[in-house]
Amino acid sequence: MKKNKIFLFLAVSMLLAVVSFSPIVSAAEFRVPERKGGSVAVNEELKNLYTFGNIISVNGDIEKNLHIGGAVVTVNGDVGDTLSIAGGTITAKGDVLGSGFLGGGNVLVEGSISDDLFVAGGNIFLSDTAEIGEDVLAAGGMIEINSPINGDLKAMAGSVFINSEIKGDVVIKSKEKIRLGSLAKIHGDFKYWSYDELVMDEGAEILGEINFEKKIRMDIANIPSAFKYFLKIAILIKLLSGIIVGLVLIYLLKKFVGKVVRDGLESFWHNLGSGFGVLILLPIACIILAITIIGIWLSCLIFSGFTLLLILSSSLASIMFGSWIIKLVTKKSEYSIDWRAVVVGMILLGLISWIPFIGMLIKLIFVLLSMGAIYRMFYRNIFPIKNK
């Protein structure tokens, strides 16, 4: 056990040593959440900031880059270059002089973004107090755009509402309705795919050409029987392989699996924030190391570990979900870590993940809980004194 701790300590020390040689990260500030609540509040001005946690609040200006992962994220300060956030609820109020990369359940943009905006989420709202300097690429359940866009708009969503001026072209793929408000003015061409035709309020304008391609609603009765059979077989194989992997984990690593499940569910917000942090910060670390000559191999090693972590977290997420459901139903005080948790978790979480957006969000939450619990266990093994 001591040898493992020494090896882990040396590996992390090497990582920190390599990163410290990178001029990009030398001026970066890394903030970790408080032990209780998993919150981070930044009120001072910084050059670069990397942070994660449950509740994140950034009130000071960031001279260059800001990268955040958290459950609830609020950015009030201005950002001099790139802003990237992965979170549950995101509110970006400060101005961004570079590009914005935002992904979450609910995303609200109130500040201006000088370059491109890439955004994905369940509900996306661009306020009339904002302005996008170049292009917008958006994907979500519901998208509402009230801010002017100086470039093109490309969106894929359930429903889209535009009530602002867009100086470039607009391309939209939507399942439900697309509506232009009375303040909408599209200078370029408007191309869209939808089940229904575009709805335009009085006063809305499209100066370019309109190209509408009607989507055909899929009728299950018209799907070829051979394809239905193949789909059923594929789903069954996926389900069985997931159950087999879960059973192998249960019987070979039962103590490890039990610790991850219990810690993940009992410290929900802390593990969720930690999972977000790992999800966003590890790829960033890989990119930073990859651009340094001495760090490229370490970058490949970390990326491989990150990929394995994603696979492991996905398998453990089903077991965690099954254990949680069994505890709710049986009202027992302990979580079940056995074959029942594997089977129940794989079947129920698999069915839930078919629900548009909500299902995938629930699955993502349990994957992040597993990832956060694994990270915290790894951290405590390296620094046991600090986590007593």
Side-chain angles (χ1 to χ4, degrees):
M1 185 66 180
K2 289 183 178 179
K3 289 183 179 180
N4 291 335
K5 290 183 178 180
I6 293 172
F7 173 77
L8 292 174
F9 179 77
L10 290 175
V12 173
S13 299
M14 186 190 305
L15 171 61
L16 294 175
V18 173
V19 172
S20 65
F21 283 105
S22 173
I24 294 178
V25 189
S26 59
E29 182 83 16
F30 292 85
R31 294 290 176 91
V32 296
E34 300 171 358
R35 290 292 301 277
K36 295 182 178 180
S39 300
V40 176
V42 179
N43 300 310
E44 69 270 32
E45 295 183 6
L46 298 171
K47 190 167 187 178
N48 294 285
L49 176 62
Y50 301 82
T51 187
F52 67 91
N54 176 20
I55 300 175
I56 310 290
S57 177
V58 179
N59 302 309
D61 295 340
I62 306 300
E63 184 181 339
K64 289 192 175 181
N65 304 307
L66 174 59
H67 303 287
I68 303 176
V72 179
V73 179
T74 304
V75 178
N76 296 307
D78 297 336
V79 178
D81 197 346
T82 301
L83 170 66
S84 61
I85 305 175
T89 300
I90 298 172
T91 303
K93 296 183 177 181
D95 294 336
V96 179
L97 297 183
S99 297
F101 301 85
L102 310 176
N106 295 291
V107 181
L108 169 62
V109 179
E110 295 184 341
S112 296
I113 296 176
S114 298
D115 291 336
D116 300 322
L117 171 62
F118 302 87
V119 57
N123 298 299
I124 300 170
F125 184 83
L126 305 187
S127 171
D128 56 3
T129 60
E131 181 177 355
I132 312 302
E134 294 188 17
D135 300 333
V136 173
L137 181 61
M142 185 279 293
I143 299 176
E144 181 172 335
I145 299 173
N146 295 287
S147 61
I149 298 173
N150 294 314
D152 299 333
L153 168 65
K154 294 182 180 180
M156 181 164 35
S159 64
V160 180
F161 174 66
I162 302 172
N163 196 32
S164 64
E165 183 178 18
I166 299 177
K167 295 185 177 179
D169 298 329
V170 174
V171 178
I172 298 176
K173 292 185 178 181
S174 175
K175 290 184 178 180
E176 299 175 16
K177 67 178 181 180
I178 303 172
R179 178 184 159 205
L180 299 186
S182 59
L183 300 179
K185 185 176 182 180
I186 313 300
H187 290 261
D189 297 335
F190 195 101
K191 184 175 183 179
Y192 68 105
W193 290 260
S194 182
Y195 295 130
D196 304 307
E197 289 192 31
L198 171 71
V199 176
M200 296 179 63
D201 292 352
E202 186 178 353
E205 295 182 83
I206 298 178
L207 304 181
E209 295 183 359
I210 300 177
N211 188 331
F212 171 46
E213 293 189 18
K214 187 176 181 63
K215 294 177 67 174
I216 305 300
R217 297 183 186 276
M218 182 177 291
D219 186 356
I220 297 178
N222 295 329
I223 299 177
S225 57
F227 181 77
K228 291 180 185 178
Y229 181 77
F230 175 78
L231 185 61
K232 290 177 181 178
I233 294 296
I235 293 173
L236 182 61
I237 291 174
K238 181 182 178 181
L239 177 63
L240 290 176
S241 61
I243 291 175
I244 291 171
V245 171
L247 291 175
V248 170
L249 288 174
I250 284 288
Y251 289 106
L252 293 184
L253 301 170
K254 187 170 184 178
K255 186 176 180 181
F256 167 76
V257 173
K259 192 168 180 60
V260 170
V261 169
R262 283 187 288 270
D263 185 54
L265 293 171
E266 291 173 359
S267 302
F268 181 88
W269 289 112
H270 203 154
N271 284 303
L272 185 63
S274 298
F276 269 121
V278 172
L279 185 67
I280 191 172
L281 294 179
L282 268 186
I284 292 172
C286 289
I287 294 172
I288 292 172
L289 287 170
I291 63 177
T292 65
I293 298 176
I294 59 174
I296 189 168
W297 294 110
L298 187 56
S299 173
C300 294
L301 181 63
I302 294 175
F303 184 77
S304 299
F306 178 66
T307 303
L308 291 175
L309 177 61
L310 281 175
I311 297 172
L312 178 61
S313 299
S314 182
S315 298
L316 291 176
S318 298
I319 300 174
M320 184 181 293
F321 185 77
S323 182
W324 176 63
I325 291 294
I326 291 173
K327 185 182 178 183
L328 285 179
V329 174
T330 61
K331 297 181 179 179
K332 291 183 178 180
S333 58
E334 294 293 326
Y335 292 102
S336 298
I337 313 297
D338 54 21
W339 66 269
R340 295 176 301 167
V342 176
V343 175
V344 170
M346 279 301 305
I347 293 175
L348 291 185
L349 195 59
L351 290 173
I352 289 173
S353 64
W354 282 83
I355 301 173
F357 179 70
I358 297 297
M360 293 305 298
L361 181 60
I362 292 173
K363 186 171 183 178
L364 175 62
I365 287 173
F366 277 89
V367 170
L368 292 177
L369 285 176
S370 301
M371 191 178 295
I374 294 172
Y375 158 75
R376 292 179 66 202
M377 188 185 304
F378 174 83
Y379 185 82
R380 283 194 294 264
N381 284 334
I382 301 175
F383 304 107
I385 297 177
K386 292 185 179 181
N387 291 273
K388 283 185 177 180

